[in-house]
């Protein structure tokens, strides 16, 4: 078997240091094709807007003395995955990795995340997928801050990418979501977690006096993580236990309700 083919994207865009930290780590496993939005695209989820121009621009970039071919896409993270698989890669990927994101992706807001959305798009096409996020201060979420240390997150990206390339899979696990604490090291323990049902962020109304003025909906963290499901939630593992959270996700979003009871209630 030849070297693994890895498609790498990042919702923070083609210029993100988190993307390059992941690229350097994953290069140990195989050929890394980097396809990412040309603009910052956080919060895009799995969206495929018709307004995206889809322009692909191949560029060459020097990173730590090594030259990389990269592909900047006029589109969302999910669209970057599609362009990468359908147009750019010489053969189908053995793995799709999305990250390393500035900021964790936890709890009920994960479908908003462009990081998770890109991995979901890959999983929907039948490819092993990994979404990786690093806890950072909120001020760094939409930045390209060089103050953020991605080394521990890169270590776990490599570790779990290797497991997925080795074809470790389980029924109803379509992708893995990794969230790494900001103070993690390569020796930090990881734990399997469930996605918490609680909101991790709450939305804030724009600060403006006139609706005709531009206004952006803000957000802030909801600081009640101690109330999260304490036995096995992603929020509790990351925020309270300071462990790496590994959440197996399924594309099946069907409620686990008792169908017979629900059917009876709906027909009464």
């Amino acid at each position: 078997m030849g070297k693994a083919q890895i498609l790498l994207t990042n919702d923070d865009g083609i210029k993100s240091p988190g993307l390059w930290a992941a690229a350097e780590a994953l290069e140990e496993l195989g050929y890394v094709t980097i396809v990412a939005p040309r603009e910052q695209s956080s919060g895009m989820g799995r969206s495929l807007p018709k307004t995206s121009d889809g322009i692909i621009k191949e560029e060459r970039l020097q990173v730590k003395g090594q030259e990389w071919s990269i592909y900047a896409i006029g589109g969302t993270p999910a669209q970057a995955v599609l362009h990468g698989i359908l147009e750019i890669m010489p053969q189908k990927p053995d793995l799709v990795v999305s990250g390393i994101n500035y900021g964790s992706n936890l709890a009920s807001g994960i479908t908003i995340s462009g990081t998770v959305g890109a991995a979901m798009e890959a999983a929907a096409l039948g490819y092993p997928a990994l979404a990786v996020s690093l806890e950072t201060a909120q001020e760094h979420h939409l930045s390209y801050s060089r103050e953020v240390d991605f080394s521990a997150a890169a270590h776990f990206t490599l570790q779990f990418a290797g497991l997925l390339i080795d074809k470790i899979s389980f029924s109803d696990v379509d992708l893995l979501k990794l969230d790494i604490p900001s103070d993690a090291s390569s020796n930090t323990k990881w734990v399997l977690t469930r996605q918490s049902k609680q909101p991790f962020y709450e939305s804030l109304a724009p600060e403006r006096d006139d609706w005709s003025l531009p206004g952006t909906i803000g957000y802030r963290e909801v600081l009640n993580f101690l109330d999260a499901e304490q036995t096995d939630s992603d929020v509790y593992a990351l925020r309270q236990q300071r462990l790496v959270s590994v959440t197996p996700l399924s594309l099946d979003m069907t409620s686990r309700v008792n169908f017979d009871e629900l059917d009876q209630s709906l027909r009464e």
Side-chain angles (χ1 to χ4, degrees):
M1 180 178 176
K3 295 187 72 173
Q5 293 285 338
I6 302 169
L7 173 59
L8 174 63
T9 193
N10 189 309
D11 75 344
D12 291 319
I14 200 74
K15 299 176 183 177
S16 172
L19 174 72
W20 295 104
E24 290 182 82
L26 294 170
E27 189 181 26
E28 182 176 323
L29 296 176
Y31 296 108
V32 182
T33 302
I34 299 170
V35 185
R38 65 172 180 248
E39 306 292 345
Q40 164 63 252
S41 299
S42 293
M44 291 288 187
R46 195 183 160 191
S47 62
L48 306 173
K50 297 299 183 183
T51 51
S52 298
D53 62 38
I55 294 173
I56 301 173
K57 184 177 180 182
E58 183 177 0
E59 302 175 0
R60 303 289 291 179
L61 189 67
Q62 289 281 342
V63 179
K64 294 185 178 180
Q66 181 176 348
E67 189 172 66
W68 291 75
S69 288
I70 62 175
Y71 301 88
I73 305 296
T76 66
Q79 288 173 322
V81 168
L82 290 174
H83 286 293
I85 293 173
L86 299 175
E87 294 189 277
I88 296 172
M89 294 191 71
Q91 60 193 73
K92 301 304 182 185
D94 298 296
L95 174 68
V96 177
V97 177
S98 180
I100 302 165
N101 186 65
Y102 280 86
S104 54
N105 281 298
L106 302 169
S108 62
I110 62 170
T111 54
I112 298 170
S113 163
T115 301
V116 177
M120 290 177 68
E121 189 64 32
L125 296 174
Y127 298 102
L130 179 66
V132 187
S133 301
L134 173 65
E135 179 189 39
T136 66
Q138 186 169 325
E139 66 208 53
H140 294 319
H141 285 187
L142 301 178
S143 76
Y144 292 138
S145 172
R146 299 289 180 175
E147 299 175 13
V148 176
D149 181 0
F150 288 98
S151 58
H155 167 82
F156 288 103
T157 300
L158 174 61
Q159 178 180 344
F160 282 91
L163 292 173
L164 290 175
I165 286 175
D166 286 341
K167 308 302 182 186
I168 291 181
S169 63
F170 287 86
S171 175
D172 201 38
V173 178
D174 294 306
L175 62 146
L176 292 181
K177 178 179 75 76
L178 267 60
D179 291 277
I180 296 98
S182 58
D183 56 352
S185 72
S186 59
N187 294 319
T188 299
K189 294 182 179 179
W190 61 266
V191 61
L192 284 177
T193 58
R194 296 182 183 275
Q195 173 206 332
S196 173
K197 291 184 177 180
Q198 77 166 29
F200 191 66
Y201 294 107
E202 65 177 356
S203 299
L204 302 174
E207 296 183 3
R208 57 183 173 184
D209 299 320
D210 188 327
W211 288 350
S212 66
L213 299 175
T216 301
I217 293 175
Y219 66 96
R220 67 182 176 192
E221 192 175 302
V222 181
L223 296 175
N224 61 342
F225 60 88
L226 288 174
D227 295 330
E229 302 87 339
Q230 295 191 13
T231 56
D232 57 3
S233 80
D234 54 359
V235 175
Y236 193 79
L238 184 85
R239 295 303 309 275
Q240 182 66 11
Q241 296 179 298
R242 309 305 295 165
L243 300 175
V244 174
S245 165
V246 182
T247 309
L249 297 178
S250 170
L251 294 177
D252 182 358
M253 301 179 72
T254 309
S255 172
R256 267 69 64 183
V257 69
N258 184 299
F259 269 38
D260 290 336
E261 293 178 3
L262 177 60
D263 187 80
Q264 183 178 346
S265 297
L266 293 173
R267 296 178 189 279
E268 288 177 350

